[in-house]
Amino acid sequence: MASRDLFRRALAGAVVVGAALTAALGGASAASAHDSLVSSTPAEGESVSALSEVRLDFSANLLGADGGNIVIVVGPDGRHYEDACAELAGPTLTVPVALGAPGEYSVEWRAVSSDGHPVSGVIPFTSTGESVSAGSDASPCASASGVAEAAAPRDTGGISGLTLGLVLGGGVVVLVGVLIVVILRTRKD
């Protein structure tokens, strides 16, 4: 009888440890995957003769946090050629543009991933068309220092999604462990 009771306790402990490891390791890897840029118009390295809008498509719906999604277009003269702030629609950011003189341009972007973390990048492209804008010294939506400053992490003062998931997962594992022990003890009596 003591052997059977010892086996039940060992089995319950193994189940609790296994569930805890699964919750901790499985939850952490899923939560750490940031969204990524899937496609863009213009594409990296593309030559365009005309462009009225920059479009960035991501792998999942982005968060629309307080100006955290920024798209700027910088021309060969260092001037800005985006006409307005980026608009978010699910996984897509768009910004209207009016390009200047032919030359090398870059789309500098920062987006708030669905997990709350910022992702960013630069897409170089070439304009071969005629100038339709003189550009401006600063972006209408980003500071003069551009996307780099906006990409700096902000302390929101709240709990991160990963921390919340691990705390809740750990609580569930403890609750399941307690329930297993209670059920095994009740069957013994």
Side-chain angles (χ1 to χ4, degrees), residues 10 17 20 33 49 73 84 88-89 146:
V17 169
S49 59
V73 179
L88 174 63

Side-chain angles (χ1 to χ4, degrees), residues 45-57:
E46 182 177 5
S47 289
V48 297
S49 59
L51 186 66
S52 62
E53 176 182 84
V54 168
R55 178 185 173 109
L56 306 175
D57 294 306

Side-chain angles (χ1 to χ4, degrees), residues 13-31:
V15 168
V16 169
V17 169
L21 285 173
T22 300
L25 297 177
S29 65

Side-chain angles (χ1 to χ4, degrees), residues 64-145:
D66 284 334
N69 298 313
I70 298 171
V71 179
I72 62 174
V73 179
V74 180
D77 54 2
R79 296 179 64 83
H80 290 262
Y81 290 93
E82 66 276 12
D83 287 340
C85 298
E87 291 195 23
L88 174 63
T92 303
L93 281 173
T94 57
V95 64
V97 297
L99 299 181
E104 301 295 318
Y105 286 76
S106 66
V107 176
E108 300 175 19
W109 59 268
R110 177 193 187 271
V112 181
S113 184
S114 61
D115 66 0
H117 291 95
V119 292
S120 60
V122 176
I123 303 166
F125 71 97
T126 303
S127 173
T128 59
E130 294 184 23
S131 177
V132 294
S133 171
S136 64
D137 289 332
S139 172
C141 297
S143 69
S145 61

